[in-house]
Amino acid sequence: GDVVPIDHHVTLATNRKAAYKTVIGQDGRLEVGTTIGHYLGDISGKGTLALNFGKLPAGNYESFFTCSGGTIEYGGSTDYYLPDEGSTFRRLVLTGSGRRIFPDRDITICDTLLLNGPVMDNNVNNNAITINGLFDYQSGSFLSGTEASSNFIFSGAASQQVIGNFTGSDAFYNLTLDNPNGLILSGDMDIIGTLYLTEGNITTTAADVLTIKEAGDVTPNGGSSSSYVTGPLTVELDNGETFAFPVGDGSRYGKISLD
């Protein structure tokens, strides 16, 4: 029946702990690990709830799973599906090893998606994942999906950044930019499906190159004056194919067609 504040690093070492309310402070971290049978009551705060398997402790996550809520971290060393509770997260962190399989629902990440260690697997359910902040790929593997429904949508209210190399087997399938403030690449990126240029520019450099792979394309064809690539863009083509490059220099748009 107590209100339990978590303002530092707390580990649940035994099963079946209960609270009326659990408040995880900004600097707090509640390590559930693989312990079971807990009831956390109403969960709130901006700190971190860390689990090592795919089942949340019982409780009310209405405040925690919001853009103003906390961080959920899925760690451990085994393969598991992420729980399907909640569709909006402030910060989603994937650590450890094994596979973290995304549930069969579209999700929104308001602040940060961090991948550091495991396989992030969206190939099973091929859902849309909206990111309104930073995508930081430090280590592990990235499986973005293989079907039309799989789409990583960048639609934040400020300039966004993607950190890491998304190439080869780690390539994006579909990616949508719908942010007038743009997306900055910090690492190379391949797209093997469709790049949807809805609003805003993708900024690349000689060290951070965007590549449209052989089977990929761009919608709308050649981009538009309100959405294009500013910086290097590489396209793989078969003999006889044509392509309209959606490029500019940050202030001027100049579609270049290759026939």
Side-chain angles (χ1 to χ4, degrees):
D2 293 331
V3 176
V4 179
I6 307 294
D7 294 321
H8 54 283
H9 192 151
V10 174
T11 299
L12 296 179
T14 59
N15 298 330
R16 298 180 178 84
K17 299 296 184 181
Y20 171 63
K21 290 183 179 180
T22 302
V23 182
I24 308 176
Q26 179 75 48
D27 299 320
R29 178 180 176 87
L30 180 58
E31 290 267 6
V32 176
T34 56
T35 58
I36 60 173
H38 308 298
Y39 178 71
L40 301 182
D42 290 330
I43 303 106
S44 62
K46 292 184 176 295
T48 299
L49 177 65
L51 295 88
N52 290 347
F53 67 118
K55 186 172 178 59
L56 290 166
N60 178 7
Y61 290 87
E62 184 176 351
S63 295
F64 197 75
F65 288 162
T66 65
C67 286
S68 59
T71 297
I72 182 75
E73 179 178 333
Y74 293 106
S77 58
T78 60
D79 299 348
Y80 57 86
Y81 282 82
L82 302 188
D84 62 2
E85 291 94 340
S87 59
T88 300
F89 307 92
R90 186 175 71 85
R91 298 182 75 248
L92 177 61
V93 176
L94 308 177
T95 60
S97 59
R99 295 167 68 209
R100 306 291 178 269
I101 305 167
F102 273 58
D104 188 13
R105 68 185 309 169
D106 297 340
I107 67 171
T108 296
I109 300 160
C110 307
D111 186 322
T112 301
L113 172 59
L114 172 62
L115 172 57
N116 188 16
V119 177
M120 175 181 164
D121 191 347
N122 193 42
N123 280 5
V124 175
N125 291 307
N126 291 284
N127 290 311
I129 298 174
T130 298
I131 302 172
N132 292 330
L134 171 70
F135 188 176
D136 187 357
Y137 176 15
Q138 296 184 0
S139 66
S141 297
F142 171 66
L143 303 178
S144 71
T146 59
E147 299 178 4
S149 59
S150 170
N151 193 2
F152 279 74
I153 303 165
F154 292 85
S155 59
S159 177
Q160 294 179 258
Q161 186 178 15
V162 175
I163 300 173
N165 289 314
F166 295 85
T167 59
S169 61
D170 293 323
F172 282 92
Y173 189 71
N174 297 322
L175 185 148
T176 295
L177 176 59
D178 190 12
N179 179 352
N181 296 293
L183 178 67
I184 299 171
L185 302 193
S186 293
D188 293 334
M189 178 188 290
D190 293 347
I191 295 177
I192 60 177
T194 300
L195 170 61
Y196 295 96
L197 291 173
T198 303
E199 187 74 18
N201 298 337
I202 299 178
T203 300
T204 66
T205 70
D208 312 298
V209 177
L210 174 62
T211 299
I212 307 297
K213 303 299 283 186
E214 185 176 338
D217 60 13
V218 175
T219 298
N221 184 34
S224 70
S225 59
S226 63
S227 191
Y228 55 87
V229 177
T230 174
L233 171 64
T234 299
V235 178
E236 296 181 353
L237 298 174
D238 284 332
N239 289 338
E241 284 189 310
T242 63
F243 189 83
F245 284 78
V247 293
D249 67 358
S251 60
R252 292 174 296 177
Y253 165 66
K255 180 171 67 174
I256 300 173
S257 296
L258 179 65
D259 297 321

